[in-house]
Amino acid sequence: RIACQTPYFEIRLLVTLSMERAHAGSVLFYEDGKLLGKYENLVVNESSLTSALVTVAGDGVALEIDSEGSRNKFHVIAPISLIGGKPHIDCVYKTVYDAVDEIRSVGESCQKIELEKFDVHSAINDDGLIAYTDKYNWLKSIPRNVCANPVGLEVSPYRVARCSEGGVSDAKNEKIMVFTNQDKLLFSIVGYELIPKISGAKYMLTSDLDNIIIMLNGNLACHSKKFSASTRLVGTAKIKNKFTVNYTIDSIGNCLTGNYSYVGKKENIEIIGYRHGDLYNFLEIGKNRISSGLFVLNRIEPRARGVWISVPPANPLSVN
């Protein structure tokens, strides 16, 4: 497990690593007290480009980069991981708003780079971006009282609609709706951005809080997978050290599905998940396929450990 400390916040990663700021713009990384390196290339504070290290809800640390150009406004998240004893950035996740053409684009760009060689400025590019558009005919079938000002993108064989009361420039109140190519709704979620990944039907749900980034890895194939033959996990945990929940989870490969319920209540809440690395990512699916929350867990048996995050997003609650 990684515990990264600065004078301002504490970050937990998946290996034993610590980090501190030596002075403004300089970051030190440690593993079990051993200095791995001093980095002067991560924290940038310019008129049109800024970057900062932030906590990832549940586990991790990431570099958050914002570029305020006269036309394009980039928001980039670059998770940091320890590979072969050295901090690396493997992939970056981008959302871009073109203020002239009023187009929003999202995308993933992957290239394994040692942290000391990472260039914050070079992360601002169009690699891997997919633009939302209002040109798809299937958008017309979505009721306007369900999805205001819809724009869409296609990631075969799935479709993603973005709905915002304030139009494409509205990032805070957006709703994301995900469909199969037969227009079957898989889920909808408010307050999160969906970033399609390069490989198949995998995706990232992300949102920003104060000094915290929410990142949930998912796989749209898991939302339609049949779990007739699976491995079943059963457990109990507490949310916020207060609310006791019982859960049952079936798994096939890295896909997970199941339900949980609060002790004393009969209602079961459906959860669909995906194991990414050492983390178990779950999306709650409620009535009309509307998501009400998500879990990022580092353990699910015999007792879950991690965080629960609400929809729309708010500060994570501990799960233990």
Side-chain angles (χ1 to χ4, degrees):
R1 221 178 229 319
I2 293 184
C4 297
Q5 295 184 344
T6 77
Y8 310 106
F9 54 82
E10 178 177 311
I11 304 166
R12 300 185 68 81
L13 299 179
L14 296 175
V15 292
T16 305
L17 180 73
S18 63
M19 175 197 74
E20 64 182 34
R21 295 187 181 182
H23 56 76
S26 180
V27 181
L28 305 178
F29 277 87
Y30 296 86
E31 181 185 15
D32 294 332
K34 177 184 177 182
L35 180 65
L36 295 179
K38 180 179 179 180
Y39 301 89
E40 306 280 355
N41 57 315
L42 302 180
V43 180
V44 176
N45 187 9
E46 301 174 356
S47 59
S48 60
L49 181 72
T50 59
S51 63
L53 287 155
V54 293
T55 304
V56 177
D59 259 316
V61 60
L63 192 63
E64 184 178 32
I65 306 167
D66 287 287
S67 174
E68 292 286 338
S70 59
R71 175 169 185 161
N72 292 322
K73 302 181 186 302
F74 279 77
H75 180 63
V76 179
I77 302 169
I80 298 171
S81 57
L82 198 63
I83 303 173
K86 291 186 177 182
H88 284 70
I89 288 176
D90 194 6
C91 295
V92 299
Y93 303 94
K94 297 177 280 192
T95 61
V96 186
Y97 176 61
D98 182 332
V100 176
D101 291 335
E102 297 186 331
I103 295 173
R104 186 169 293 276
S105 302
V106 294
E108 175 195 50
S109 177
C110 292
Q111 182 182 4
K112 189 180 296 183
I113 302 174
E114 291 184 17
L115 199 57
E116 63 187 11
K117 298 177 182 178
F118 184 78
D119 180 7
V120 172
H121 295 80
S122 68
I124 306 303
N125 59 61
D126 295 335
D127 294 347
L129 290 178
I130 305 172
Y132 279 98
T133 177
D134 60 1
K135 305 302 182 183
Y136 293 118
N137 287 329
W138 54 267
L139 290 170
K140 299 175 183 177
S141 65
I142 306 175
R144 292 303 177 263
N145 62 330
V146 173
C147 182
N149 303 304
V151 290
L153 58 81
E154 294 185 349
V155 184
S156 180
Y158 302 96
R159 299 167 175 172
V160 181
R162 188 178 184 280
C163 325
S164 297
E165 293 288 344
V168 295
S169 63
D170 179 14
K172 183 178 180 181
N173 300 310
E174 68 186 5
K175 176 196 289 186
I176 296 294
M177 303 182 73
V178 182
F179 302 87
T180 67
N181 55 8
Q182 283 81 39
D183 293 331
K184 177 184 177 182
L185 178 64
L186 297 177
F187 69 89
S188 69
I189 189 167
V190 174
Y192 291 79
E193 191 79 74
L194 187 145
I195 301 177
K197 291 193 172 186
I198 297 169
S199 52
K202 296 176 184 178
Y203 64 89
M204 173 77 74
L205 284 174
T206 183
S207 189
D208 294 357
L209 298 172
D210 291 338
N211 292 323
I212 297 176
I213 293 290
I214 300 168
M215 301 179 70
L216 180 129
N217 284 279
N219 190 333
L220 292 172
C222 297
H223 291 260
S224 54
K225 185 177 286 294
K226 294 183 179 180
F227 286 76
S228 57
S230 64
T231 301
R232 174 155 290 187
L233 305 173
V234 178
T236 300
K238 285 184 178 291
I239 297 177
K240 200 182 177 182
N241 294 316
K242 182 178 180 182
F243 306 103
T244 301
V245 297
N246 296 318
Y247 56 88
T248 300
I249 297 168
D250 292 325
S251 65
I252 295 181
N254 288 328
C255 287
L256 309 158
T257 188
N259 59 75
Y260 78 95
S261 62
Y262 290 90
V263 170
K265 295 185 178 182
K266 296 182 178 180
E267 180 185 11
N268 284 326
I269 302 171
E270 180 185 0
I271 51 177
I272 296 176
Y274 173 67
R275 181 173 181 175
H276 178 77
D278 293 320
L279 294 180
Y280 302 87
N281 304 263
F282 290 96
L283 192 63
E284 293 182 5
I285 306 294
K287 185 179 180 181
N288 298 322
R289 312 305 296 171
I290 298 172
S291 177
S292 53
L294 51 88
F295 290 90
V296 179
L297 306 174
N298 53 56
R299 192 174 82 184
I300 58 175
E301 192 182 37
R303 193 175 179 93
R305 293 286 188 275
V307 295
W308 178 86
I309 307 159
S310 65
V311 175
N315 285 330
L317 303 180
S318 63
V319 177
N320 51 43

